[in-house]
Amino acid sequence: MGKVTGFIEYQREVASRRPVAERVNDWFEIYQPFSYEKVRTQGARCMDCGVPFCHTGCPLNNIIPDWNDYAYRDRWKDAIRVLHSTNNFPEFTGRVCPAPCESACVLGINEPPVAIKLIERSVIDYAFEQGWIKAEPPEVRTGKRVAVVGSGPAGLAAAQQLNRAGHSVVVYEKADRVGGLLRYGIPDFKMEKHHIDRRVALMEAEGVEFVVNAHVGDGVPVEELRSKFDAILVAGGAEASRDLPVQGRELKGIHFAMDFLPQQNHRVAGDPVAEAVSLTAEGKDVIIIGGGDTGADCLGTSHRHKAKSIHQFELMPQPPADRSPNTPWPLWPLMMRTESSHEEGGQREFGIATGEFVGDANGNVTALKTVRVGPPPTFTPIPGSEQEFKADLVLLAMGFTGPVKKGLLTDLGVELDGRGNVKTNEQYMSSVDGVFAAGDMRRGQSLVVWAIAEGRKAARGVDQWLMGESKLP
Amino acid sequence: MSNNQEEFQVVRGLPPAQGLYSPANERDACGIGFVVNIHGHKSHDIITKGVQILINLTHRGACGCDPETGDGAGLLIQIPHAFFARECAKIGFTLPPAGQYGAGLVFLPVERTARLLVEGVFERIVREEGLEVLGWRDTPLNVDAIGRVARASQPYIEQIFIRGASGMSEIELDRKLYVVRKRVEHEIRASDIRDKDFFYVPTLSCRTIVYKGLLLAPQIQKFFKDLADPECVSAIAMVHQRFSTNTFPTWPLAHPFRYICHNGEINTVRGNANWMAARQAVMASGVWGDDLKKLLPIVEPGGSDSATLDNAVELLYLSGRSIPHVMSMLIPEAWDADTTMEAEKKAYYEFHASMMEPWDGPAAVAFTDGHVVGATLDRNGLRPSRYLVTRDGLLIVASETGVLPVKPEDVTMKGRLQPGKMLVVDLDQKRIIPDEEVKKSLWERQPYGEWIKDNQISLERLPEPGRVYTTDHETILQRQRAFGYSDEDLKMILAPMSEKGEEPIGSMGTDTPLACLSDKPQTLFHYFKQLFAQVTNPAIDPIREELVMSLTSYIGTERNVLDETPQHSHLLKLEHPILTNRDLEKLRRVSWGDFLAYTLPILYNVHGGEQELERGLDSLCKRASWAIQAGYSLLILSDRGVDENSAPIPALLALTAVHHHLIREGTRTQVALIVESGEPREVMHFCCLIGYGASAVNPYLAIETLDNMSATGRISVPFETALKNYKKAVNKGLLKVFSKMGISTLQSYRGAQIFEAIGLNKSLVDKYFTGTASRIEGVGLEVLAREAKMKHEHAFHPVTESDVELMPGGNYQYRVRGEYHLLNPQTVSKMQHAVNAESYATFKDYSKLINEQNEQLCTLRGLLQFKPAQAISLDEVEPAKEIVKRFATGAMSFGSISKEAHETLAIAMNRMGGRSNTGEGGEDEARFKLLPNGDSKRSSIKQVASGRFGVTANYLVNADELQIKVAQGAKPGEGGQLPGHKVDDFVAKVRHSIPGVGLISPPPHHDIYSIEDLAQLIFDLKNVNPQARISVKLVSEVGVGTVAAGVSKAHADLVLIAGDSGGTGASPLTSLRHAGIPWELGLAETQQVLVMNDLRSRIRVQTDGKLQTGRDVVIGALLGAEEFGFSTAPLVAMGCIMMRKCHLNTCPVGIATQDPALRAKFVGTPEHVINFFFFIAEEVREIMASLGFRTFDEMVGRVDLLTMRDVQHHWKAKGLDLASMLFNPPVPKKVGRRCVTVQDHGLEDALDHKLIELAKDALENQTPTQFVLPIRNVHRTVGGMLSGEVAKRYGSEGLPTDTIQIKFNGSAGQSFGAFLANGVSLELEGDANDYVGKGLSGGRVVVYPPKNSSFIPEQNILVGNVVLYGATSGEVFFNGMAGERFAVRNSGATAVVEGVGDHGCEYMTNGLVAILGETGKNFAAGMSGGIAYVLDESGAFCKTKCNRSGVDLEPVESTNDINALRNLIERHVQLTGSPRGKWILENWGDMLTRFVKVFPHEYKRVLGVAKRETPYFVPATQGEQVLHG
């Protein structure tokens, strides 16, 4: 329970980011080391609440107070035991999760919340350092075979769970490496990719089979899976990017974020990127449309590319500096957030809409015509606020409209819900018997932590369907 | 009057069980007394005096709905031979000489044929037993003398005269008459004679006769004309005035019984009766021979606790023991921990303890066999008993002094019965035999000590076992899972117990589902709820009054209880019931005398489900029977060996199956049952096992878990220490649980079944938990097997790594995969968002979550639904602003919650016209004044709790309601403790205590040990503030309705039925989860019983306990409540986020903390609270409209509109049946179902009206006034109302000292000078009863014996028990001795007294006390402040009398001390004329050295005085003892 009076005695402290001037020159993770001793002090701030809102604030229902306490008590082995009991991959969430748990932290009502994310990351890092994390192959195999399509966090979590339940699991990944958006969406400065490799190696040792460069529904026929496996779980993400169909959209230099970011991950991984398709912000006037996390990732990447100027547009008005009264505790607060990429530079524009892309004779984008708009839901344009922004690279980071339907989903013939996601029952099974769905493909674009939670729940559904009952959590 | 009504009225006796009512819950208490001529001179005057005593004890009795019908009164006298001879001659038969015939009073059916049939049976049996019926005599009665209800239920009363066989001695004749009576009773009971329930034989003896009935004291001599006849003479008159908790006409239950009358309650009676039945199988006696069979069963079914005790006394006495011998065996004094007791006497008690468990509970018992008459008091001395002896040989014993007028100069001695002591008069020897002599004659009967030495076994004396089980760390996790251990069990239960040796503490009540509704597998223990004492008997403080508590038990084969031989002590003595593995192996291998142990496995094939479980139990019982036949005396029930196929039978189920099987078989007392189980781990588990008959428990898995936790670093102490601490914590916990029920010893708790089951079905309970209340049906073996299977699966078929962990538990802290909680992240935040944003829509989201969560099964109300009704428009329904006036906030003390939170609640409630509650902790007087904006911070309910902190006359008059907190939901039966660090300057000021000094609230109110005491406290409070309504707060448990009926009869204006789930304060986790039951059951029972007794119409009913929505309120109203209390919910509205850390002072939102930095974080406002209550009221209105109610009143008690939902889909709930909860007693319309009238408090007769009139000038103009008045014991609470008048006019300042001086002559009634205000001085020449100066608020009380008395004041009792309880200021001077618990919880008064009884200055927090004589035991227990000076002439005080755990004893040497003490004694002499005081002053130099200063450690610490290094002893007395002044 931490220290009874810890929250009164100690202040919140988290790992500080490396100096901007330093970090924009490399692709390493942005955080400076933080001693485990200091992590323990942060654990002491946990109040061990009777109703730990963090525990439900977290989609995985991580039993946060317990491992906070263990960290405080220097009982790291117990801490990782409890942490792993709800979260297959804390090394991912401990780095990239926006930590809704911290927004729900009771201490956050009137003090800075407990540094839960820092503690989580420290617990798993420590456990790896100590060599405690080992493959756990199942003792008994059920003889059932499950195909998991997609190796993002949802697919990986489901695969690990199903494998531990004794099923034989094969994970299909269309890319050349395992990891999905973890691998090719999130920049290395937020999470270095060796974390994924390490985990995948463990899973392979546990008996999970990975097949890469295997695009199910495009090259790998769906029928093949149906015949070879007792169940199929699709976790292919929500990869259909939202577009901005305004005049000039066809101009060159306008790209989806997801065309831009994976390239950089390949580069860092040492893969060659074909000159013809290579995108870089170097020396360019960059405009990122979309004020969310993907936008911020584009921003950080552009900084590292040494862009000439960068603007990030957001349609919504500028949020308040502190928690908005419309999102009272313990809700995820609407408030102005300054991510590491914002620290590194660039200009943020709020309440702005792009009306037109302007191009030059060569069909290259040169500028954006914008107008300031009022608040939602009408976003009424403000007369006289028209403005033009110079741009030679525009990155569209406005989120995703849902999963790609063509191929996998159409071939499987699964029913979709009103939002275009795969419709499932409570056991995560789609309209097609034996075909399950999880992650962004089922719930639409969301957080890594949600993906893991979905993967776990879907695994339970699959197990239940295969075995009649399930003891998976 | 309708026919229906007629029928209702003529019901006789207690009604059969119906709805939630059970006659088994009935309680009574009373006044007792006797008057005896020590020389044995018989006279009619003795009888008249007896009746006079009764009349003067009338206020201790009660009457029901008919003011002319009492609860019962009676008189026991010697057979008036001459009178009977004369009368019998008149009707045609001649009596033989006295002693050669027996006479008896017989209650018979009124209807002639039936009566003749009964008489026929009686006469036949008399003949068959070789005696002769001389004749019957119609007892002359005056039926006009008694009340309507009594008359309607009156039996036909005859007397029977039976001639003894020739040559029979008196005792032989009485034995034969006993056989006759038992046979007649058995035969009539078994017959089908009409109206046979009229039949009852109050008495049949050749020595004594009892006259009793449903009478009021003044009626007895008129009703029974015999008693008015001058020729009717006796040397003994033993009397009893009953106060029962019901109004049902029951003639037989009036006292005296055949040998005793009793004031108090035998808490352990269920176990005692069971054990008596079990013993019957091995009873044998030469005096009975074959007749013994005819006596069985010894205990008559359907008797009260007193009747049952009388049954046992009768058997043991007639079997050959003297009556004092019998009494000391059944109600022994506290010998176990008494280091000063003679070894022989201890041996005597120990010997008898191995034969008979104590009949435990508060008891003053008067007893007689016609030759010896006496009285004894229980070990704790919880009932008052005073006596005096006159020059002409009269001994008068009664609950009060002053019951008979006696000239002071005729009195030779005045005394009180002391705890565990006996007062005996032997009419043959014509003298009083002092306790020491009685006991000596008993212990000298046999060489008990040697018998024990030669035969008793102890664990230490057994050889070391060859092999002992050790921890198997490899399989521990699997086994923990198999036994349902959760992570929380380790973290919240085992860790604190093993590290600190104490039970863990929690806060904020419980909001998890009942075991019978939970989807998680439960342990069987959790289907049970602990019972606890409230009102009818007091809880005990097991820490401060440790000397009466004992965990020792004697196990093995019990012998014939009618005999005594050395073999009787061939038993194993256990110091406590928790066995380590080594202890158990010693027992398993024992071979010593008759001792042989046999291990019975309690495992079953888990795959076979219910059938296998049942088969397992049956074969277990068979094997137990076989083992007994084979000669084994210890049966070890063991669940070691759990594997893939074998799951443990729930240990409790295995135990009770065997226990009740053996009771039924008659072999139970031949063996001891020992449980070797992996299941028990928390205190509740051990309580259940012991409470259902286990002699000892080896919790091997808990022990291994400690080892494992220590080895893996989960606890910080080595295993050995952990185990030691764990045992200590369990043992302390056990004592705590016993004491909550008012039980002192493990031996009497064992098998006493002090539990109620919630949600177990009848067939299960009848077979395995025989006699346990279980009122809503529920699960059976099938579900228990399923739960066992769930745990077993979890253990043996683990799937994933995360699943290898224990289950999270989540009972104490919310966890997603753990137990469900009503207050969860969603509901808490929704409610806060609603009240912050003033959004009713959001509130509806919240209430939907709660109400629908109810449908997900958590509470009993969740199982209910409304019946369809004719809806009306919402506009027609009473407005919300009227409904909110029915709402109150709960008693949360300032001290437990912050000033800000406390005041916010008060302002909110005052704005709404609702009520806020001070809680136990006083209230700052500044809050009594209105704020400039018109707001008021004054709490309209002022609570009076056992600590009486800040309860002054001024506090009382500034209230609209005075609430007596008898129990609280979170920890019924327990007191509280505010640690010193929480008592800052302000808290201390409000509580009238010292900053930094810890404060203890005693478990009981020391002025409420029984129901008539409660009536007295209500009377006290009503006197001080006649305008305030008086409420009494009870907690739901089986029988609470009966207690509530008693409360109504005690004239409370409102009774609050709190649920078990509530509770905002800190409480041991055992109490938090396992004591008390849901309010729905308690409320329904209360409503049913009040209506059945026609007591509902004069009392309002309130309920509380985690009420959260309008739906909850409506269900409460339909079940019978008019008002509603809320605590948790308004706290949440003010920002509480259910940290459940209230006890740690670290509340992060500034509510439950006194830390200024944290208090600054409080953001709650009155608006938040008001919004919440109006939302609730609005939801109530919506439901009212749908049910067609325009006014709230219409809705109260309309239980017919509720029905149980269909829950057939739920694996557990489908077995429940709430019919008993929804029962609607079939009474006529005229019987009120809600409060429509007011109580008659009987204030008109108060002497204070006269005082106020005489002191008018003083009250109005502060003119000094003096006057003199006579006083009698019926004048109670004298000075209280006057003080209320003073406080109303002058606040806490009162009047200048001595403005009103009143001199009284005579014996003052209870509560003389209670709450006496500043400026009022009472002087009493005479003596006084209990509670003198209770709550003294600045006034002065002086008492001295009549100037012409012939006895020596300091050796005689002058004032009663519990003097100065909760006094806050003022002074008292007593020229004589006081009873037990002098100055208990004194927080500021000054007192001089010349001797006190046991427990003097208990829990005292401030003030100054000088004791110029002897003290009883346990002085200064729990004393944390103030100073006492004690004159310790013999040195006994320092050596044995003072409880030195919290105080230092020092010489009186500093000038300050010397001056203070001398000044006190000088004033004492001046005010009382005390000869002893004078003598001390005359010999000051010498006497000063014999004074001891009692200086509490905590007080010292606060004053900055160092603790004494070396203990101080007053030098042993040189030369002669100085006793006389």
Side-chain angles (χ1 to χ4, degrees), chain B residues 900-1104:
Chain B
E900 292 76 13
H902 205 269
E903 294 181 353
T904 301
L905 281 176
I907 291 172
M909 296 318 276
N910 286 331
R911 277 193 209 162
M912 276 168 29
R915 291 162 188 261
S916 64
N917 192 319
T918 51
E920 165 163 38
E923 187 161 275
D924 181 16
E925 290 181 5
R927 290 172 61 175
F928 299 166
K929 294 190 200 79
L930 284 187
L931 297 178
N933 71 355
D935 272 338
S936 168
K937 294 177 173 177
R938 164 186 176 274
S939 299
S940 71
I941 306 173
K942 296 277 187 292
Q943 195 174 61
V944 178
S946 65
R948 301 288 158 90
F949 298 108
V951 179
T952 64
N954 193 39
Y955 171 87
L956 296 176
V957 298
N958 278 288
D960 305 321
E961 175 176 330
L962 296 171
Q963 180 180 78
I964 301 170
K965 179 186 86 179
V966 172
Q968 66 185 85
K971 45 176 172 180
E974 288 180 66
Q977 195 160 4
L978 195 64
H981 67 85
K982 267 190 138 174
V983 185
D984 64 17
D985 288 358
F986 193 61
V987 170
K989 180 187 153 217
V990 172
R991 295 197 175 206
H992 291 252
S993 65
I994 302 164
V997 172
L999 302 173
I1000 298 165
S1001 300
H1005 286 256
H1006 277 295
D1007 54 357
I1008 311 177
Y1009 296 151
S1010 72
I1011 191 87
E1012 85 270 13
D1013 288 342
L1014 175 70
Q1016 176 60 36
L1017 179 58
I1018 290 172
F1019 186 74
D1020 291 340
L1021 299 177
K1022 198 76 189 176
N1023 264 282
V1024 180
N1025 185 352
Q1027 280 75 43
R1029 65 178 193 184
I1030 313 291
S1031 65
V1032 174
K1033 178 174 178 176
L1034 305 175
V1035 171
S1036 287
E1037 65 174 329
V1038 58
V1040 72
T1042 307
V1043 175
V1047 166
S1048 179
K1049 288 172 79 176
H1051 304 300
D1053 300 296
L1054 180 141
V1055 63
L1056 164 55
I1057 306 296
D1060 61 332
S1061 54
T1064 48
S1067 158
L1069 292 181
T1070 295
S1071 302
L1072 209 66
R1073 284 190 71 197
H1074 304 301
I1077 60 171
W1079 60 259
E1080 294 95 317
L1081 274 174
L1083 173 63
E1085 184 189 332
T1086 298
Q1087 175 75 0
Q1088 290 170 19
V1089 176
L1090 288 175
V1091 169
M1092 283 169 75
N1093 282 286
D1094 194 7
L1095 291 167
R1096 179 66 175 87
S1097 58
R1098 45 165 149 151
I1099 191 164
R1100 286 173 77 84
V1101 175
Q1102 189 182 85
T1103 198
D1104 72 17

Side-chain angles (χ1 to χ4, degrees), chain B residues 218-256:
Chain B
Q219 298 166 346
I220 192 164
Q221 218 168 4
K222 297 191 190 96
F223 179 70
F224 287 113
K225 291 182 181 170
D226 287 3
L227 297 176
D229 194 300
E231 269 193 71
C232 186
V233 297
S234 172
I236 304 169
M238 183 187 284
V239 298
H240 187 273
Q241 169 75 57
R242 181 161 181 258
F243 187 135
S244 138
T245 48
N246 61 63
T247 62
F248 305 123
T250 48
W251 285 68
L253 291 183
H255 297 221

Side-chain angles (χ1 to χ4, degrees), chain B residues 362-596:
Chain B
V365 182
F367 53 83
T368 182
D369 61 0
H371 293 272
V372 169
V373 54
T376 190
L377 215 52
D378 66 88
R379 56 173 56 204
N380 224 341
L382 295 174
R383 309 299 306 129
S385 201
R386 302 276 288 265
Y387 62 88
L388 69 78
V389 184
T390 67
R391 220 179 272 282
D392 49 359
L394 217 53
L395 168 70
I396 302 164
V397 179
S399 299
E400 295 187 8
T401 180
V403 292
L404 279 184
V406 177
K407 289 203 189 89
E409 57 270 33
D410 289 344
V411 177
T412 58
M413 179 161 91
K414 281 188 176 186
R416 74 183 196 290
L417 224 50
Q418 295 176 39
K421 302 292 184 212
M422 207 179 274
L423 174 73
V424 173
V425 179
D426 187 325
L427 296 186
D428 299 334
Q429 294 184 35
K430 303 186 194 306
R431 68 180 183 105
I432 295 177
I433 308 177
D435 179 70
E436 300 76 37
E437 190 182 333
V438 175
K439 303 279 169 69
K440 188 155 190 287
S441 71
L442 291 174
W443 88 57
E444 283 176 343
R445 299 182 72 251
Q446 307 281 3
Y448 296 113
E450 279 170 40
W451 287 2
I452 290 170
K453 206 169 111 234
D454 295 344
N455 292 285
Q456 193 180 73
I457 308 175
S458 64
L459 276 177
E460 293 69 40
R461 291 174 68 183
L462 293 178
E464 282 296 313
R467 203 177 66 89
V468 172
Y469 281 103
T470 53
T471 305
D472 180 359
H473 295 278
E474 285 302 303
T475 64
I476 192 160
L477 183 63
Q478 185 173 55
R479 287 179 298 134
Q480 284 169 338
R481 291 161 61 139
F483 284 103
Y485 272 59
S486 72
D487 213 42
E488 237 177 8
D489 285 334
L490 269 55
K491 174 179 156 187
M492 308 286 288
I493 305 283
L494 293 172
M497 286 173 88
S498 58
E499 285 179 333
K500 296 185 201 125
E502 273 169 16
E503 252 206 284
I505 305 281
S507 294
M508 295 304 287
T510 47
D511 57 345
T512 48
L514 293 166
C516 60
L517 297 178
S518 169
D519 284 323
K520 309 281 170 198
Q522 301 288 313
T523 80
L524 179 56
F525 304 118
H526 294 182
Y527 286 88
F528 290 83
K529 298 286 184 182
Q530 298 163 7
L531 302 183
F532 48 89
Q534 54 183 345
V535 180
T536 58
N537 58 333
I540 305 171
D541 184 335
I543 302 167
R544 264 68 61 171
E545 298 184 7
E546 199 184 355
L547 74 167
V548 300
M549 307 297 296
S550 169
L551 286 170
T552 306
S553 63
Y554 303 88
I555 69 172
T557 305
E558 275 193 37
R559 319 268 157 177
N560 176 12
V561 72
L562 302 184
D563 197 7
E564 53 182 15
T565 68
Q567 272 300 304
H568 276 74
S569 47
H570 181 50
L571 289 170
L572 175 81
K573 178 178 183 175
L574 281 182
E575 301 288 343
H576 63 81
I578 312 302
L579 300 177
T580 62
N581 294 347
R582 174 174 307 273
D583 296 339
L584 185 70
E585 288 318 310
K586 283 181 172 185
L587 289 180
R588 210 194 303 273
R589 280 144 224 267
V590 67
S591 172
W592 188 317
D594 291 353
F595 273 82
L596 264 184

Side-chain angles (χ1 to χ4, degrees), chain A residues 1 4-5 7-8 47-53 55-58 61 63-66 69-70 75 78 81-82 84-86 106-107 109-111 136 138 160-161 164-166 327-331 456 463 469-473, chain B residues 487 491-492 709 712-715 793-794 797-803 805-806 808 812-817 821 823-826 828-829 832-833 836 1135 1137-1141 1144-1150 1155 1157-1158 1161-1162:
Chain A
M1 64 165 139
V4 172
T5 51
F7 73 99
I8 304 170
M47 304 189 294
D48 192 36
C49 303
V51 181
F53 285 70
H55 172 58
T56 45
C58 171
N61 304 129
I63 311 170
I64 293 163
D66 288 16
D69 183 49
Y70 285 130
R75 298 177 54 79
D78 287 317
R81 179 175 57 81
V82 178
H84 257 163
S85 76
T86 57
V106 173
L107 186 51
I109 294 174
N110 47 34
E111 292 284 336
E136 296 160 23
Q160 187 170 56
Q161 292 295 96
R164 286 182 179 173
T327 52
W329 176 89
L331 303 180
R456 289 170 65 88
D463 188 34
E469 56 176 6
S470 176
K471 293 191 196 78
L472 289 176
Chain B
D487 213 42
K491 174 179 156 187
M492 308 286 288
M709 286 170 77
T712 57
R714 280 198 77 169
I715 49 175
E793 282 289 297
H794 185 50
H797 301 282
V799 175
T800 66
E801 168 64 12
S802 61
D803 218 31
E805 305 307 315
L806 294 173
Y812 307 104
Q813 287 176 311
Y814 178 81
R815 292 289 184 268
V816 166
R817 284 176 61 213
H821 284 257
L823 286 152
N824 56 44
Q826 261 190 311
V828 168
S829 52
Q832 293 183 344
H833 296 168
N836 289 341
I1137 29 69
M1138 297 295 289
M1139 272 311 276
R1140 295 181 185 267
K1141 295 278 184 294
L1144 297 178
N1145 206 22
T1146 57
C1147 177
V1149 290
D1155 182 332
L1158 295 174
K1161 296 175 188 288
F1162 177 74

Side-chain angles (χ1 to χ4, degrees), chain B residues 1302-1305 1312 1321-1325 1340 1342 1344 1471:
Chain B
I1302 313 171
K1303 161 99 195 275
F1304 295 100
N1305 294 300
F1312 181 68
S1321 303
L1322 304 185
E1323 185 176 333
L1324 170 63
E1325 180 171 345
R1340 186 174 69 220
V1342 174
Y1344 49 85
L1471 289 164

Side-chain angles (χ1 to χ4, degrees), chain B residues 62-303:
Chain B
C63 50
C65 38
D66 168 16
E68 290 301 310
T69 297
D71 286 347
L75 184 73
L76 180 151
I77 56 173
Q78 293 168 312
I79 299 252
H81 173 64
F83 168 73
F84 278 157
R86 184 194 83 193
E87 290 296 310
C88 291
K90 278 192 212 161
I91 49 175
F93 58 94
T94 314
L95 288 181
Q100 293 181 22
Y101 67 95
L105 206 68
V106 186
F107 292 170
L108 292 162
V110 177
E111 199 269 325
R112 190 160 177 274
T113 332
R115 186 164 77 237
L116 290 177
L117 281 172
V118 174
E119 290 176 357
V121 171
F122 210 133
E123 294 193 10
R124 173 170 54 74
I125 290 174
V126 170
R127 276 198 307 278
E128 285 171 7
E129 291 299 330
L131 306 178
E132 178 199 343
V133 175
L134 291 162
W136 296 84
R137 170 176 180 251
D138 268 352
T139 310
L141 304 173
N142 175 4
V143 294
D144 296 333
I146 61 174
R148 178 171 50 82
V149 173
R151 213 154 50 226
S153 58
Q154 183 206 313
Y156 198 91
I157 304 176
E158 286 198 82
Q159 287 161 355
I160 188 168
F161 294 88
I162 299 171
R163 184 200 295 276
S166 70
M168 269 185 167
S169 66
E170 279 190 359
I171 184 89
E172 284 164 347
L173 178 52
D174 268 359
R175 281 180 190 138
K176 210 63 190 171
L177 292 169
Y178 176 44
V179 172
V180 167
R181 199 193 80 226
K182 292 296 276 191
R183 279 194 62 196
V184 178
E185 284 168 1
H186 297 160
E187 199 160 315
I188 301 292
R189 194 177 300 127
S191 75
D192 50 7
I193 297 172
R194 240 182 90 196
D195 292 348
K196 64 181 178 185
D197 53 332
F198 270 120
F199 174 72
Y200 177 75
V201 186
T203 162
L204 183 64
S205 160
C206 65
R207 296 184 278 197
T208 58
I209 188 162
V210 170
Y211 288 88
K212 70 180 184 183
L214 201 60
L215 310 165
L216 285 167
Q219 298 166 346
I220 192 164
Q221 218 168 4
K222 297 191 190 96
F223 179 70
F224 287 113
K225 291 182 181 170
D226 287 3
L227 297 176
D229 194 300
E231 269 193 71
C232 186
V233 297
S234 172
I236 304 169
M238 183 187 284
V239 298
H240 187 273
Q241 169 75 57
R242 181 161 181 258
F243 187 135
S244 138
T245 48
N246 61 63
T247 62
F248 305 123
T250 48
W251 285 68
L253 291 183
H255 297 221
F257 291 97
R258 288 102 189 186
Y259 290 89
I260 63 158
C261 60
H262 167 221
N263 171 10
E265 178 163 329
I266 305 298
N267 302 325
T268 54
V269 70
R270 209 170 305 175
N272 297 128
N274 272 346
W275 290 120
M276 279 307 285
R279 282 181 190 115
Q280 289 177 173
V282 290
M283 277 184 198
S285 166
V287 309
W288 297 114
D290 290 343
D291 272 357
L292 189 60
K293 288 196 295 293
K294 301 173 185 166
L295 302 176
L296 307 183
I298 298 301
V299 172
E300 291 167 39

